Amino acid sequence: MNVLIVEDEKSLSDEIVVFLKSEGYLCEQAFTGADASEKIAINLYDFVLLDLGLPDCDGLDIINNDRAWGSEPAFIIITARGEVQDKVKGLDLGADDYIAKPFALTELAARMQAVGRRKFKIPGQDMNVGEFVIEFQSRKVTHNDNEVLLTRKEFDLLNYLVINRNKVLTRQQLYEHIWGNILEDQYDSNFIDVHIKNVRRKLNEFASTPWLETVRGIGYRVSF
Ligand code: CA
């Protein structure tokens, strides 16, 4: 999961980054509203953590603009302004949750997980996918109680395809969700193909159900 932290207090921002990285998130930082708007317009994020008190604008404007760009990250407002009005306005504009400063980082992580489950439809419990069982909490894939050994990134890739089942995901979407945002000229679509090939091979050692479809010229889709 790819997170943009919009917070002008550098020490707090850095603290959040260190913590979220240890939880397995990919993090980028923006210290002004202008910087945040630019990043959201170009990149794909799963989460935007948004401080409302920014030096150059009101954080709420960023959510407003984002709707115009048609990007859809989950917004979590983080602010010292504990005012009910801000909270109501933020949630009205489409923010997914709200957390007041000061907060414990573990609390932030719990909120992000809850929002993630809702917004990205990440199942709270195990899921049957064809002949396999995916255990989202323990990050395991099994087939008749035999574990399919996937690397961390391979699991993330499979996980992302499964929660978006029946939707075609482009190679770039898969790339940015799992490895983070990169410049267009550094983007190598073969990279995803190689990882998909590995996941397929590992699963096909156990079963041959054709559940992962390559959509020519676009990307991949899981149907079950
Ligand atoms: Ca601030």
Side-chain angles (χ1 to χ4, degrees):
M1 293 265 182
N2 207 346
V3 188
L4 178 67
I5 296 127
V6 187
E7 168 61 72
D8 59 320
E9 227 176 285
K10 191 167 183 306
S11 57
L12 174 61
S13 175
D14 289 346
E15 207 183 311
I16 294 173
V17 168
V18 169
F19 175 75
L20 290 182
K21 278 190 175 165
S22 75
E23 295 277 299
Y25 291 95
L26 299 161
C27 299
E28 284 178 44
Q29 293 167 290
F31 301 105
T32 63
D35 189 14
S37 298
E38 199 186 316
K39 287 195 156 116
I40 295 169
I42 313 173
N43 299 322
L44 290 170
Y45 297 102
D46 298 302
F47 288 96
V48 174
L49 306 184
L50 183 62
D51 176 32
L52 293 188
L54 294 168
D56 56 338
C57 76
D58 189 317
L60 292 176
D61 297 338
I62 295 176
I63 305 184
N64 249 340
N65 292 339
D66 173 68
R67 296 294 165 245
W69 295 320
S71 156
E72 37 186 338
F75 280 96
I76 297 181
I77 295 173
I78 44 172
T79 182
R81 293 195 263 169
E83 287 171 20
V84 178
Q85 258 175 325
D86 280 336
K87 179 175 177 171
V88 170
K89 205 169 154 199
L91 296 177
D92 264 1
L93 284 173
D96 297 275
D97 205 352
Y98 182 98
I99 187 166
K101 289 187 212 171
F103 53 83
L105 291 169
T106 47
E107 164 78 5
L108 176 65
R111 296 290 187 95
M112 289 173 71
Q113 272 167 20
V115 168
R117 275 200 295 274
R118 236 179 20 241
K119 180 124 183 161
F120 308 116
K121 301 189 171 58
I122 300 171
Q125 57 216 29
D126 303 348
M127 191 186 227
N128 290 304
V129 180
E131 299 167 52
F132 298 92
V133 177
I134 300 192
E135 300 174 20
F136 293 94
Q137 302 305 316
S138 54
R139 301 175 54 86
K140 263 166 59 175
V141 180
T142 56
H143 179 267
N144 293 336
D145 294 330
N146 295 311
E147 186 175 352
V148 184
L149 293 172
L150 299 177
T151 65
R152 187 183 178 95
K153 295 295 188 193
E154 285 165 359
F155 182 85
D156 289 344
L157 198 55
L158 181 64
N159 187 351
Y160 193 48
L161 282 159
V162 166
I163 61 178
N164 287 291
R165 62 191 172 280
N166 302 322
K167 248 171 46 188
V168 182
L169 295 178
T170 66
R171 290 179 173 82
Q172 187 151 3
Q173 277 174 318
L174 291 166
Y175 190 99
E176 298 203 340
H177 175 79
I178 291 158
W179 283 275
N181 295 302
I182 45 156
L183 297 171
E184 205 149 325
D185 57 357
Q186 294 170 352
Y187 167 69
D188 177 7
S189 65
N190 287 329
F191 187 79
I192 286 292
D193 295 337
V194 170
H195 279 81
I196 289 278
K197 209 172 133 192
N198 291 339
V199 173
R200 235 191 209 135
R201 179 178 48 77
K202 287 183 178 181
L203 295 182
N204 286 352
E205 277 173 25
F206 293 87
S208 52
T209 327
W211 53 275
L212 175 62
E213 187 189 343
T214 305
V215 182
R216 262 187 86 177
I218 307 176
Y220 296 95
R221 170 170 53 203
V222 158
S223 320
F224 59 90

